[in-house]
Amino acid sequence: MNFSILQFPASNCDQDAVHAVRLLGHSAHLVWHKDASLGDTDCVIVPGGFSYGDYLRCGAIARFSPVMQAVKQFADNGGLVLGICNGFQVLTEAGLLPGALIRNRDLQFHCENIFLKTTTNDSPFTSKIPAGKILRVPIAHGEGCYFADEVTLANLKANNQILWQYCDANGNLTDTANPNGALQNIAGICNEKRNVAGLMPHPERACEPLLGSDDGKWVFESIFAALKEKTAARAA
Amino acid sequence: MTEPAITPELVTKHGLTPDEYQKILDILGRAPSYTELGIFSVMWSEHCSYKNTRPVLKTFPTKGENILVGAGEENAGIIDVGDGVAIAFKIESHNHPSAVEPFQGAATGVGGIIRDIFTMGARPIAALNSLRFGELSNPEVRRLFSGVVGGIAHYGNCFGIPTVAGEVYFDKSYEGNPLVNAFALGVLRHDQITRGAAHGIGNPVFYVGPATGRDGLAGAAFASQDLTEESAEQQRGAVQVGDPFMEKLVCEACLELLATGVVAGMQDMGAAGLTCSTCETAARAGTGIEIELDKVPQRAPNMSSYEIMLSESQERMLIVVHKGQEEAVKRIFDKWDLPWSEIGVVTDSGRMVVRHGGKVVVDVPAKKLADEAPVYFRESREGTYMEGVRAFRLDGIADTNDPASDLKKLLANHTIASKNWVYRQYDHMVRDGSVVCPGSDAAVIRIKSDSLPITKAEYAAKQAGQPAPASAPIADKFVAFSVDCNGGYVYLDPYEGGKAAVTECCRNLACTGAVPVGSTDNLNFGNPHYPEIFWQLKESVRGLAEGCRAFNAPVTGGNVSLYNQRGALGAIDPTPTVAVVGIIDDPKHITTQWFKDEGDAIILLGKPVDRSDPLQGMGGSAYLKTIHGTKNGLPPRVDLEAAKTLHTTLLGLIRAGGVKSAHDCSEGGLAVALAESCISQLVARDTPRLIGATVDLSGRAAEASGPSPRVDALFFGETQNRVIISCAAVDATKLVERAKLMGVPAVKIGVAGGDKVTIKTNAAELSVPVAELHDAWWNSIARAMA
């Protein structure tokens, strides 16, 4: 499979996403933010970082970039798009995902490992995550508090769009396990069509035991499986 | 624009002595212009010239077979780590700016050190910092502390460099004058090393990066004088404002430009900005340089030549490009949307010539300005306080009657307590290389192929739209580093304190499984014009140098920060911070400090208490300070030979397999080190992995000849050269015997497991639930900051 990893001027987890995808046996290339084409691609990752410095509001400028117009089109055609951390922020700003990410409730940046409960396996981003498996993956953000109005929240639930929630080691959605004050401990969601997802934690930083956890690989394995199915369907 | 006339008052105001001014007259053969006066004043400040410390700095060991770029040659030293790969690293202070404006002061400190690394052609891949503050009970100190940590986080996180290690000490002596020392490390291939030299007569000189403003005017000079309330207020404008987004762009653009092969020399505009970068690059190459200030991008209207030359606006670089290849600069800097301007040319005149508004405003010999600053051999005299320090005995101090309570107090002491409140704010995992994160003795970073800057071949292929050539992938490499300095020790005995700083650093590396390859130091002291202060400096450098020699960790560069004193509060504890970098060949040998499994044996390497020390390792200890409010007594001695044996033995044991954890004993002694081994493993947010321990020191204490040591000395004394390791129960005898065979005292002192930490001696026993110890240690700083 071939992954396009977007590169905004201050993306700083772009190389990490490339590393993770390659480590797991697939190919990845960077796409510059001024490019209007994604090239030959099976999946787009909008990586972590600070896109255009994010002094205004995380991801607020990135949504206007040429490459994001290409990503919108790719998503409209059913392509898989995953936003990680800043990438999640960019996708909400671009309107590809509902809700917003606001300042962490204690106003501090948080870099630490957290536990993630997979709320549903019914998505191309979660299908291969073993049932009941609590993922241990890092977060690193200052604006990761997921917020949405009540209608949006109700829709997310009704459509089963909440993919991951912060939990404790035993899978309980406690308030202390919530690092940033996100509504309903939401760490990641997908769109209604289920082909665009975003999450604040960094699965690409947790793909090898050497770095402390390889739980993040399950997110990528899910994507690989979905792409394989797609290819098979196309061939058939 | 008319410039002020040069008067003796103006000369004094620029921090230049009459003798120094005379030297300027001799060099120029005429009176300097106002701009020239400013230029001399910054270049001859301590910050840029090391005029007060050069003779002392020369005593550091700086040679080594792996050193590719040595101390003082360039912006950072470079060490070969094999397979054609090298590391560049350096530590630098930003103390005074942080005292005045903690957030921006610390942020730009990080920015400055990162620039020093990519200026060498290296990709910055890790950062650490060493911080000193007053006591957190003081609200002003809390403001400084949270500002500094916030500033470091802001800059490092946005730039995308993992801040993986550091240390923070709290002591009243730093109250008015916090210390902010930032370290960065980068990686590159040998053939990517870039020099800060203006080579090639006729080559164009480029200015790249954001426009020059009036911020940071003469910051280097500001850093080279005592802080006063007045100066702090006046100098607020001397603090630069950092833009990490800009730095990220400049770094990426520079590394890309280097891969085109068009760069003849490159230097960042750090302290003394355009002045320093132009005259130093010319001086290094033995050439001259001519620049036109009207071509310098400017942020403010009507800036004078003095202001443009002395501004310390951040994130700017000076790049000398091979003639005829200017197009590459335009193409790449336009791609990154960065300002650039061709501002001058390399000449053969040996002079630095600056034109502004059609007139020559500066015309000075570059080499004399850059390299021939006056050098002072300052008077040094032992401080009278040392008499009292030497005479200090424990007689008047009752032995502990509640070691459990003492242990909790020590764990909650902000200097000893967990720094999670700090490092949680730093992105310490970006770049997929953080193998050991903050919270163990030393951090470990993996260098992988994609950590390296893009090569010329890779770049050429990319430009041609071809697939990247299979440029030799490198095997993963593992770099460990630690930064240390107990300023209290150095105050009480500069020589021993200097030795102790390097030794602790190297002990931390040994505990991690690493062998030192080099070091960098940051000498933070008071005003060197006081002979007592200069004595502290000289003596501690003697100790540092001896330590660096003993551990084969040559100094590859560093920084000096003097005048760290503020009015009536007096000078800071002398703080020669040292960072040592080491290599771990096999990832299997990477070792962390926490106990791993129930039932594992706990072994003490080293003597429980140094009997030859009349203070039994209690001089200058955290115990005396925390429990008895005393900072006194000669600190514990460091036997460098014994230290070397300990480190080599520990490494041997780790490599042979079987060592499951290793943690060094430092502040708070054996009891604190044991407790930390039980409570410091963090699984995830709010989820520590606690493991108890039962330890018996009675046999060991009785075994040694002479009178029994004091209980507090056994528990909390800071006798040097001790490490706690753990291993599977079946391996214990083997490990103890091996260590003894190598000449290191070793004894099994207990077993890990349970939910309590219990330590027994002949005369006393403490037993505390491990959760209680964890709470005291983990939450102490957060409680103070709440």
Side-chain angles (χ1 to χ4, degrees):
Chain A
M1 300 299 164
N2 194 11
F3 282 67
S4 291
I5 318 285
L6 304 194
Q7 190 184 26
F8 295 105
S11 291
N12 59 33
C13 306
D14 46 343
Q15 199 56 52
D16 298 358
V18 170
H19 171 73
V21 169
R22 287 183 183 163
L23 188 76
L24 297 171
H26 294 266
S27 65
H29 65 276
L30 295 170
V31 181
W32 186 238
H33 66 111
K34 291 180 188 171
D35 288 350
S37 155
L38 295 168
D40 175 30
T41 192
D42 298 302
C43 174
V44 172
I45 293 182
V46 192
F50 285 72
S51 54
Y52 292 86
D54 288 347
Y55 293 122
L56 172 61
R57 204 173 64 234
C58 296
I61 298 177
R63 59 182 272 223
F64 297 110
S65 62
V67 79
M68 279 310 292
Q69 314 317 313
V71 170
K72 273 181 201 166
Q73 205 178 9
F74 180 75
D76 285 346
N77 294 333
L80 294 190
V81 179
L82 177 69
I84 300 171
C85 194
N86 187 225
F88 185 13
Q89 295 162 342
V90 171
L91 292 177
T92 57
E93 286 288 339
L96 287 171
L97 288 172
L101 282 316
I102 59 173
R103 286 286 296 273
N104 295 350
R105 63 178 156 190
D106 67 0
L107 306 181
Q108 283 184 356
F109 191 96
H110 276 248
C111 176
E112 56 192 337
N113 280 302
I114 47 87
F115 291 115
L116 271 190
K117 179 179 184 157
T118 304
T119 318
T120 173
N121 283 112
D122 176 21
S123 86
F125 308 93
T126 53
S127 63
K128 291 292 161 192
I129 299 173
K133 169 100 183 155
I134 304 297
L135 306 182
R136 191 167 67 91
V137 283
I139 56 163
H141 59 248
E143 302 187 19
C145 173
Y146 185 79
F147 185 84
D149 60 40
E150 278 173 33
V151 177
T152 309
L153 216 50
N155 284 336
L156 281 177
K157 278 185 164 169
N159 301 322
N160 203 19
Q161 285 170 254
I162 300 173
L163 300 186
W164 298 279
Q165 285 166 292
Y166 301 108
C167 65
D168 66 14
N170 303 314
N172 301 312
L173 305 176
T174 63
D175 189 51
T176 44
N178 183 343
N180 50 33
L183 289 180
Q184 311 210 0
N185 284 32
I186 290 173
I189 56 168
C190 67
N191 62 349
E192 252 187 89
K193 276 168 62 189
R194 311 192 86 72
N195 65 318
V196 179
L199 77 169
M200 288 314 296
H202 286 274
E204 84 284 16
R205 294 187 187 183
C207 287
E208 40 189 331
L210 182 73
L211 299 182
S213 168
D214 62 353
D215 289 353
K217 73 175 182 218
W218 294 113
V219 175
F220 293 99
E221 294 295 351
S222 302
I223 298 174
F224 301 150
L227 291 175
K228 214 168 140 189
E229 247 171 59
K230 250 187 173 182
T231 316
R234 232 179 288 150
Chain B
M1 229 168 293
T2 50
E3 295 195 324
I6 310 296
T7 62
E9 292 74 39
L10 195 64
V11 171
T12 311
K13 235 177 120 180
H14 278 77
L16 292 162
T17 66
D19 284 350
E20 288 171 342
Y21 184 65
Q22 186 55 49
K23 193 165 173 183
I24 296 171
L25 294 178
D26 294 345
I27 288 173
L28 296 178
R30 58 172 166 82
S33 68
Y34 178 55
T35 305
E36 287 170 336
L37 184 72
I39 283 175
F40 274 100
S41 105
V42 289
M43 286 307 295
W44 287 6
S45 67
E46 175 63 31
H47 192 88
C48 291
S49 74
Y50 302 113
K51 62 184 171 187
N52 293 298
T53 47
R54 248 185 223 207
V56 177
L57 297 179
K58 280 194 176 145
T59 62
F60 277 129
T62 55
K63 301 268 183 283
E65 52 187 76
N66 299 325
I67 294 186
L68 301 176
V69 175
E73 273 183 59
E74 290 283 349
N75 293 285
I78 297 188
I79 290 184
D80 175 18
V81 293
D83 297 343
V85 177
I87 51 173
F89 59 85
K90 190 179 163 184
I91 194 165
E92 194 159 89
S93 67
H94 234 213
N95 302 337
H96 284 193
S98 304
V100 174
E101 213 301 292
F103 186 93
Q104 289 299 344
T108 51
V110 175
I113 196 66
I114 290 175
R115 272 195 305 287
D116 277 336
I117 299 306
F118 72 73
T119 296
M120 301 303 300
R123 174 172 285 286
I125 59 161
L128 61 80
N129 53 73
S130 168
L131 312 176
R132 298 290 182 280
F133 299 93
E135 301 288 357
L136 288 178
S137 49
N138 178 337
E140 171 62 11
V141 171
R142 292 201 293 276
R143 186 186 75 87
L144 289 173
F145 178 49
S146 84
V148 164
V149 171
I152 292 171
H154 165 70
Y155 209 100
N157 295 354
C158 179
F159 181 82
I161 191 167
T163 303
V164 284
E167 49 152 17
V168 194
Y169 275 73
F170 300 92
D171 184 274
K172 212 166 165 35
S173 82
Y174 305 106
E175 193 165 290
N177 198 127
L179 301 184
V180 176
N181 295 176
F183 165 105
L185 178 140
V187 57
L188 73 172
R189 294 175 199 267
H190 292 190
D191 59 8
Q192 291 178 316
I193 295 174
T194 306
R195 299 284 178 165
H199 283 300
I201 314 298
N203 277 343
V205 175
F206 281 86
Y207 168 116
V208 302
T212 297
R214 291 197 169 89
D215 52 332
L217 266 182
F222 165 50
S224 303
Q225 51 185 281
D226 289 2
L227 266 179
T228 61
E229 293 305 330
E230 215 178 313
S231 73
E233 204 41 58
Q234 282 169 359
Q235 298 289 356
R236 214 167 291 277
V239 180
Q240 313 85 329
V241 177
D243 180 350
F245 173 61
M246 194 53 87
E247 178 111 329
K248 165 80 175 162
L249 305 190
V250 172
C251 173
E252 295 298 341
C254 285
L255 293 180
E256 194 170 329
L257 185 68
L258 288 171
T260 64
V262 307
V263 175
M266 183 159 92
Q267 166 128 359
D268 69 308
M269 299 188 207
L274 198 49
T275 293
C276 186
S277 54
T278 47
C279 76
E280 278 191 1
T281 45
R284 278 200 198 103
T287 54
I289 196 163
E290 227 177 285
I291 60 167
E292 186 85 54
L293 294 188
D294 301 287
K295 292 184 179 162
V296 171
Q298 290 161 47
R299 207 166 55 213
N302 305 320
M303 285 183 70
S304 68
S305 52
Y306 180 96
E307 290 170 329
I308 299 169
M309 288 305 289
L310 270 59
S311 161
E312 290 189 3
S313 289
Q314 298 288 290
E315 293 98 19
R316 302 174 303 160
M317 304 288 286
L318 191 82
I319 304 179
V320 180
V321 173
H322 295 299
K323 195 168 174 56
Q325 302 189 307
E326 294 85 347
E327 186 55 29
V329 180
K330 176 175 161 36
R331 179 167 47 83
I332 289 170
F333 281 79
D334 282 350
K335 171 190 164 188
W336 289 93
D337 297 318
L338 283 168
W340 57 271
S341 172
E342 188 177 331
I343 61 164
V345 65
V346 177
T347 69
D348 60 0
S349 68
R351 302 187 76 84
M352 166 188 177
V353 178
V354 179
R355 289 172 207 280
H356 194 201
K359 278 193 290 195
V360 171
V361 289
V362 174
D363 185 353
V364 299
K367 210 168 177 60
K368 285 199 189 311
L369 174 63
D371 298 339
E372 292 182 23
V375 175
Y376 298 108
F377 295 84
R378 295 281 170 212
E379 194 191 333
S380 107
R381 193 188 321 121
E382 183 181 299
T384 47
Y385 70 93
M386 284 302 296
E387 271 174 46
V389 171
R390 281 206 191 84
F392 180 81
R393 289 294 176 270
L394 299 171
D395 305 341
I397 293 171
D399 203 344
T400 177
N401 56 14
D402 191 354
S405 144
D406 293 344
L407 176 58
K408 278 193 273 182
K409 280 183 198 150
L410 278 167
L411 288 170
N413 171 317
H414 298 140
T415 295
I416 292 174
S418 164
K419 305 300 180 296
N420 67 83
W421 187 90
V422 176
Y423 62 71
R424 202 189 55 221
Q425 298 187 50
Y426 304 149
D427 187 340
H428 47 262
M429 304 185 198
V430 64
R431 301 202 65 82
D432 270 1
S434 306
V435 180
V436 178
C437 291
S440 195
D441 278 328
V444 180
I445 282 275
R446 166 183 59 180
I447 299 175
K448 54 190 193 321
S449 289
D450 69 21
S451 312
L452 292 158
I454 186 168
T455 63
K456 284 176 191 162
E458 286 165 346
Y459 186 75
K462 205 174 147 193
Q463 286 308 106
Q466 291 159 357
S471 63
I474 56 153
D476 284 358
K477 294 183 178 301
F478 298 89
V479 180
F481 30 82
S482 167
V483 61
D484 284 289
C485 180
N486 184 327
Y489 283 2
V490 183
Y491 172 75
L492 296 168
D493 187 338
Y495 168 68
E496 285 293 334
K499 268 171 32 185
V502 187
T503 307
E504 184 181 345
C505 237
C506 292
R507 195 161 61 234
N508 283 333
L509 290 189
C511 286
T512 309
V515 181
V517 291
S519 62
T520 173
D521 55 70
N522 205 133
L523 307 178
N524 307 278
F525 289 85
N527 186 334
H529 294 265
Y530 295 103
E532 293 81 1
I533 300 283
F534 198 71
W535 175 78
Q536 293 176 338
L537 193 156
K538 218 174 78 176
E539 281 297 292
S540 65
V541 167
R542 188 163 69 87
L544 283 177
E546 237 172 70
C548 291
R549 255 183 220 105
F551 300 113
N552 209 2
V555 176
T556 64
N559 174 247
V560 177
S561 170
L562 305 177
Y563 307 95
N564 288 295
Q565 55 189 92
R566 195 165 188 172
L569 292 168
I572 57 161
D573 277 356
T575 312
T577 308
V578 57
V580 182
V581 179
I583 298 289
I584 304 170
D585 284 330
D586 186 339
K588 284 203 299 288
H589 301 155
I590 296 170
T591 308
T592 45
Q593 72 179 31
W594 40 85
F595 293 147
K596 302 295 183 298
D597 296 298
E598 301 256 335
D600 281 352
I602 303 169
I603 294 168
L604 173 67
L605 301 180
K607 289 181 196 158
V609 173
D610 179 0
R611 304 301 196 100
S612 69
D613 176 359
L615 302 183
Q616 303 182 18
M618 300 261 279
S621 64
Y623 172 79
L624 280 188
K625 189 177 156 189
T626 310
I627 308 297
H628 296 282
T630 302
K631 182 160 80 183
N632 208 348
L634 287 174
R637 320 272 93 186
V638 179
D639 177 340
L640 288 175
E641 280 308 311
K644 266 162 66 180
T645 311
L646 171 68
H647 301 180
T648 346
T649 302
L650 177 55
L651 278 169
L653 295 178
I654 287 174
R655 285 171 178 168
V659 175
K660 292 168 100 174
S661 75
H663 185 27
D664 92 304
C665 291
S666 55
E667 285 84 8
L670 193 55
V672 163
L674 275 167
E676 285 173 345
S677 303
C678 293
I679 58 181
S680 57
Q681 184 178 8
L682 182 67
V683 177
R685 173 184 170 77
D686 219 31
T687 317
R689 181 164 175 274
L690 307 178
I691 184 166
T694 307
V695 167
D696 188 347
L697 298 170
S698 57
R700 185 68 197 170
E703 188 181 301
S705 57
S708 277
R710 292 167 63 106
V711 173
D712 50 12
L714 204 47
F715 277 129
F716 309 116
E718 296 176 10
T719 290
Q720 295 290 293
N721 294 337
R722 294 181 301 166
V723 170
I724 292 171
I725 62 172
S726 68
C727 64
V730 290
D731 292 334
T733 317
K734 191 175 69 191
L735 287 187
V736 166
E737 288 314 314
R738 269 197 205 145
K740 282 185 178 163
L741 210 64
M742 303 280 288
V744 172
V747 63
K748 182 187 162 197
I749 55 171
V751 179
D755 53 9
K756 276 187 185 144
V757 173
T758 304
I759 314 175
K760 207 165 85 178
T761 77
N762 279 339
E765 179 173 327
L766 72 76
S767 187
V768 192
V770 70
E772 236 174 79
L773 296 176
H774 177 265
D775 176 63
W777 174 78
W778 182 260
N779 296 314
S780 175
I781 291 181
R783 282 189 186 115
M785 297 305 290

